[in-house]
Amino acid sequence: MKKGLLISSLVLVIIVACKSAIDSKSTVLKINLEPKSNSSVSGTATFSEKNGVVTFEAMMTGLTPGIHAIHIHEKSDCSSADGTSAGGHWNPLFKKHGKWGEGEYHKGDIGNFTADENGKGTITLQTDEWCIGCDDDTKNILDKSIIVHAKPDDFVTQPTGNAGGRVACSGIIR
């Protein structure tokens, strides 16, 4: 009886240890932003996932001082000079364009950030609505792109937010 209890306890410890290792699994993906539309914008975007939450952080330089929009677009194709090869906003749930976290919005509607007088800007977002490489097509950000826009998102104009030209692009790929 003691031997059976010891084996059961050992199995339980192994299962808990394995589950903890899976739950705390962390994935990090860092990509480089490329200038588009004759801009000089560059920078990096980092996606990290831990325990079902994705943290997104982008750091950019070469921007016009002021407010700019940043979105996830539907294709990882940044081959065109103006970034239009990346397609429209990523919208797997077919929602109206809007402001992240308020009413309806695309899963790609990240929002606005401000570039300082030196053209440097950063933005950070955490969400459980995205994943990096999971099997859920409504959450998986792989094979999409990040687009930085010339103007701010007005959060109203459909389907783009009237955010202007695309000044930087990067495919979200491993």
Side-chain angles (χ1 to χ4, degrees):
M1 182 71 161
K2 286 184 180 182
K3 187 176 181 182
L5 183 60
L6 179 61
I7 291 173
S8 295
S9 297
L10 183 59
V11 168
L12 180 60
V13 168
I14 291 170
I15 290 170
V16 169
C18 289
K19 183 173 180 352
S20 295
I22 291 167
D23 288 347
S24 64
K25 180 181 155 189
S26 181
T27 302
V28 178
L29 179 62
K30 186 173 184 177
I31 56 178
N32 294 315
L33 295 166
E34 302 172 10
K36 293 293 170 187
S37 303
N38 297 313
S39 80
S40 59
V41 177
S42 64
T44 60
T46 304
F47 296 90
S48 57
E49 182 176 6
K50 186 171 183 179
N51 297 326
V53 176
V54 174
T55 300
F56 164 73
E57 183 176 27
M59 294 179 272
M60 295 141 290
T61 61
L63 293 156
T64 304
I67 302 173
H68 297 268
I70 188 167
H71 302 118
I72 294 179
H73 283 245
E74 59 192 357
K75 301 176 195 168
S76 62
D77 182 357
C78 294
S79 62
S80 64
D82 62 359
T84 57
S85 54
H89 293 184
W90 176 46
N91 186 14
L93 299 176
F94 308 102
K95 302 283 186 173
K96 289 182 180 177
H97 175 73
K99 188 172 186 178
W100 184 270
E102 295 180 13
E104 283 193 51
Y105 56 92
H106 302 157
K107 290 256 185 143
D109 288 342
I110 296 172
N112 292 329
F113 67 94
T114 301
D116 66 16
E117 65 278 356
N118 297 315
K120 293 180 181 178
T122 63
I123 186 168
T124 303
L125 172 75
Q126 283 192 315
T127 182
D128 63 358
E129 293 189 41
W130 298 343
C131 65
I132 303 171
C134 70
D135 291 331
D136 185 343
D137 289 338
T138 68
K139 293 178 76 169
N140 187 3
I141 60 170
L142 286 182
D143 299 323
K144 311 298 182 274
S145 62
I146 285 290
I147 295 283
V148 179
H149 291 274
K151 298 183 342 186
D153 188 327
D154 66 14
F155 305 118
V156 176
T157 304
Q158 299 299 322
T160 65
N162 197 31
R166 302 170 184 203
V167 296
C169 182
S170 181
I172 305 171
I173 52 179
R174 290 187 201 257

